[in-house]
Amino acid sequence: MKVSNKQTNILITGAGLCGSLLGLRLAQRGYNVNVLEKRPDMRDKIIDAGRSINLALSDRGLNALKMVGLGDKVKDLCIPMKARMIHPKNGKVLTSNYSGREEDYINSISREDLNKLLLDKADEYDQVQIDFNDEVVSVDVKNGSIEYKDSESEEIQQWNPDILLGTDGAGSKVRQAMARQRDFYFSYSTKWLPHAYKELNMPPAANGGWRIDKHALHIWPRGGFMLIALPNRDGSFTMTLFMQFKEGERSFEKIQTENQILDFFKEEFPDVLAEIPDLVKQYQANPTPPLGTVRCSPWTAYGKVLMMGDASHAIVPFYGQGMNAGFEDVLVFDKILDECDTWEEAMKRFSVERKPDTDAIADLALDNFVEMRDSVSHPDFQIKRAIEMKLESAFAKAEYSSKYSLVTFPPEGMGYREAMMKGRAQDKAILWLINNGDIKVEDSAESLLKAINKKTAEVIWHRN
Ligand SMILES: Cc1cc2nc3c(=O)[nH]c(=O)nc-3n(C[C@H](O)[C@H](O)[C@H](O)COP(=O)(O)OP(=O)(O)OC[C@H]3O[C@@H](n4cnc5c(N)ncnc54)[C@H](O)[C@@H]3O)c2cc1C
């Protein structure tokens, strides 16, 4: 099928964040697009968004939203978060900026608001039709066809599009069908963490404002577990407790009764306990979903089928990049479509070229769990961040960016893999220089940069 053929019929499974953006973009390119979504339309009905009520949106995701003309509109839905605010057990709150550059910050956004924004924008294009309450029940990857339960007739219907794009999330039916075929080797793994998460709501203050600083992502690091909070526009915060299911002294299995919950919060998060009047009720009612990393390959088959977003690379949420990576998938695929003659060629190129980047962010997200729940409260980490801030405020992006900035506020065109390779070498170099007493925060920005660049080059040389 030629990319230039605008009569191509495209079927997308799942109108979540990635599927809505993809459908919208392909309609903007002029293709005939249908999207099947198993849930009701969230614009008509209050539905359980499933998981993570709010998300951190950053530059990679924003770049994709700019591509579809939503760069300005999305800003109205965002609360900028310029820093991590760390709440240690001793009560002495620390603030650590995400970047030394004023213009670099992450944004808290409601999953529902963002999804609705994308659906509304898609509605502006006649070429895209989104059908809600229509669940894909089986996928035939060889034919690129699906069966779905039609919400009106309640009957199972077939659909055989020219191109089938699976954006049906971490439990993807398309991926399950890829794993079942026997024509080629499909490698696939889901690695679960021993940790799960539970969301809690910190309500607005009596005056309708925010009970804690609204321009920060709050973290209560406690070693093996942690609590975080992201602000919502209504004055509330969505808090997420990450803790082991079963193992260790602190686990969801061991903390269940009213007394256990109250004792746990009194001991570990007394400041939070004071701000959530119905904490026990929420804790007992809210689910405790697991956290895992999905990797698979290839993402495409038979020149007709391709997966994107969580369907092909679900990651743990500790870098705040799962959705951003899914949005960036759409941006990268859009560029590849410009450069390819056929859909088969474009889908193969995307599958091969994009995977090293999503593997990298999967690894970085796992590393960041240790950083967030543990390292952020260590003195060396704080010295390192102070040095990084100093360099970022003194130099342009191309001259110096920390690993966090390379990943989250990347210099133009830098993929996750390059950000990881460079950022890890820099981290190693800075920590080595601090431990060796070779650099101090008080040193001039020029001498810090020189020492760090030299040591980073050595680390890279040894690695190669
Ligand atoms: C606790 C938590 C916090 C997170 N925080 C962040 C963050 O701060 N920043 C960030 O970038 N990412 C974050 N993420 C990751 C982010 O949520 C995902 O990466 C993102 O939702 C992936 O989008 P998607 O469209 O690929 O999949 P999904 O959002 O899962 O959407 C899939 C869609 O497909 C539909 N669907 C599924 N099966 C079928 C079927 N059989 N038929 C029809 N439709 C179907 C679903 O109903 C859904 O609408 C977080 C994740 C979690 C769990």
Side-chain angles (χ1 to χ4, degrees), residues 305-376:
V305 183
L306 176 70
M307 296 177 287
M308 275 190 207
D310 274 18
S312 47
H313 52 78
I315 61 177
V316 295
F318 306 111
Y319 229 109
Q321 285 294 322
M323 161 195 63
N324 287 289
F327 281 178
E328 198 181 56
D329 281 357
V330 179
L331 186 77
V332 170
F333 188 59
D334 188 70
K335 286 204 179 113
I336 290 180
L337 278 177
D338 284 339
E339 293 161 14
C340 289
D341 193 32
T342 65
W343 278 86
E344 180 163 14
E345 184 194 348
M347 293 194 289
K348 274 196 181 141
R349 250 191 73 183
F350 177 75
S351 174
V352 170
E353 289 176 17
R354 180 70 177 148
K355 185 163 161 56
D357 283 323
T358 57
D359 281 346
I361 191 57
D363 289 344
L364 286 163
L366 288 163
D367 292 353
N368 222 39
F369 189 23
V370 181
E371 181 164 317
M372 286 176 85
R373 66 179 208 238
D374 208 356
S375 323
V376 283

Side-chain angles (χ1 to χ4, degrees), residues 111-371:
R111 179 186 290 272
E112 193 183 313
D113 287 351
L114 181 54
N115 217 148
K116 283 179 179 169
L117 180 75
L118 289 164
L119 295 172
D120 283 345
K121 183 78 182 167
D123 277 354
E124 291 174 17
Y125 295 84
D126 291 341
Q127 290 93 327
V128 62
Q129 165 73 35
I130 304 176
D131 291 325
F132 296 92
N133 297 306
D134 282 356
E135 180 172 3
V136 175
V137 291
S138 75
V139 179
D140 177 342
V141 271
K142 196 161 190 168
N143 288 320
S145 62
I146 58 114
E147 286 184 333
Y148 70 101
K149 192 166 177 223
D150 184 69
S151 55
E152 276 163 30
S153 64
E154 293 274 305
E155 281 173 7
I156 301 292
Q157 309 269 9
Q158 287 226 337
W159 202 315
N160 194 350
D162 299 320
I163 299 293
L164 175 64
L165 301 174
T167 53
D168 46 348
S172 171
K173 277 264 171 2
V174 178
R175 192 182 67 240
Q176 287 168 21
M178 294 276 270
R180 275 196 304 273
Q181 60 65 42
R182 289 290 168 261
D183 289 344
F184 58 89
Y185 291 110
F186 180 73
S187 55
Y188 162 56
S189 69
T190 302
K191 288 215 169 124
W192 299 105
L193 282 185
H195 295 74
Y197 70 96
K198 188 183 283 292
E199 288 185 320
L200 301 165
N201 181 267
M202 182 191 278
N207 66 1
W210 290 263
R211 289 171 190 253
I212 47 179
D213 189 329
K214 86 180 229 214
H215 288 299
L217 188 155
H218 296 261
I219 310 176
W220 288 258
R222 296 294 182 265
F225 58 97
M226 68 172 178
L227 183 66
I228 67 166
L230 272 75
N232 296 311
R233 286 192 301 151
D234 66 357
S236 67
F237 274 84
T238 300
M239 315 199 70
T240 313
L241 174 63
F242 296 95
M243 186 163 68
Q244 299 217 23
F245 260 129
K246 281 176 183 289
E247 305 303 321
E249 211 186 306
R250 304 300 203 191
S251 70
F252 284 112
E253 201 176 75
K254 294 199 182 82
I255 301 164
Q256 292 193 28
T257 65
E258 180 169 352
N259 283 343
Q260 287 165 342
I261 297 164
L262 289 174
D263 286 348
F264 172 58
F265 273 80
K266 265 182 216 151
E267 169 76 22
E268 301 292 349
F269 315 113
D271 46 344
V272 174
L273 182 60
E275 305 293 349
I276 311 184
D278 61 343
L279 176 90
V280 172
K281 197 171 150 216
Q282 286 193 41
Y283 186 101
Q284 289 179 333
N286 293 353
T288 317
L291 294 158
T293 304
V294 170
R295 293 180 208 251
C296 65
S297 161
W299 294 347
T300 185
Y302 306 107
K304 263 190 101 169
V305 183
L306 176 70
M307 296 177 287
M308 275 190 207
D310 274 18
S312 47
H313 52 78
I315 61 177
V316 295
F318 306 111
Y319 229 109
Q321 285 294 322
M323 161 195 63
N324 287 289
F327 281 178
E328 198 181 56
D329 281 357
V330 179
L331 186 77
V332 170
F333 188 59
D334 188 70
K335 286 204 179 113
I336 290 180
L337 278 177
D338 284 339
E339 293 161 14
C340 289
D341 193 32
T342 65
W343 278 86
E344 180 163 14
E345 184 194 348
M347 293 194 289
K348 274 196 181 141
R349 250 191 73 183
F350 177 75
S351 174
V352 170
E353 289 176 17
R354 180 70 177 148
K355 185 163 161 56
D357 283 323
T358 57
D359 281 346
I361 191 57
D363 289 344
L364 286 163
L366 288 163
D367 292 353
N368 222 39
F369 189 23
V370 181
E371 181 164 317

Side-chain angles (χ1 to χ4, degrees), residues 56-63 81-82 84 98-99 101 103-107 217 318-322 324-325 328 361 364 368 371 385 392 397 401-412 414-416 419-420 423:
L57 172 67
S58 50
D59 288 13
R60 294 177 190 271
L62 282 167
N63 289 340
M81 298 183 289
K82 292 186 177 277
R84 285 168 167 164
Y98 277 115
S99 164
R101 300 186 181 99
E103 68 277 16
D104 288 342
Y105 50 83
I106 61 175
N107 299 281
L217 188 155
F318 306 111
Y319 229 109
Q321 285 294 322
N324 287 289
E328 198 181 56
I361 191 57
L364 286 163
N368 222 39
E371 181 164 317
R385 285 306 283 163
E392 287 186 340
K397 253 185 195 180
S401 284
S402 71
K403 182 177 78 184
Y404 187 84
S405 291
L406 293 170
V407 172
T408 312
F409 319 115
E412 207 183 327
M414 184 178 283
Y416 286 120
M420 178 181 78

Side-chain angles (χ1 to χ4, degrees), residues 84-88 92-96 376-377 382:
R84 285 168 167 164
M85 206 164 254
I86 299 154
H87 302 254
K92 289 188 186 147
V93 177
L94 297 165
T95 302
S96 169
V376 283
S377 38
Q382 285 150 23

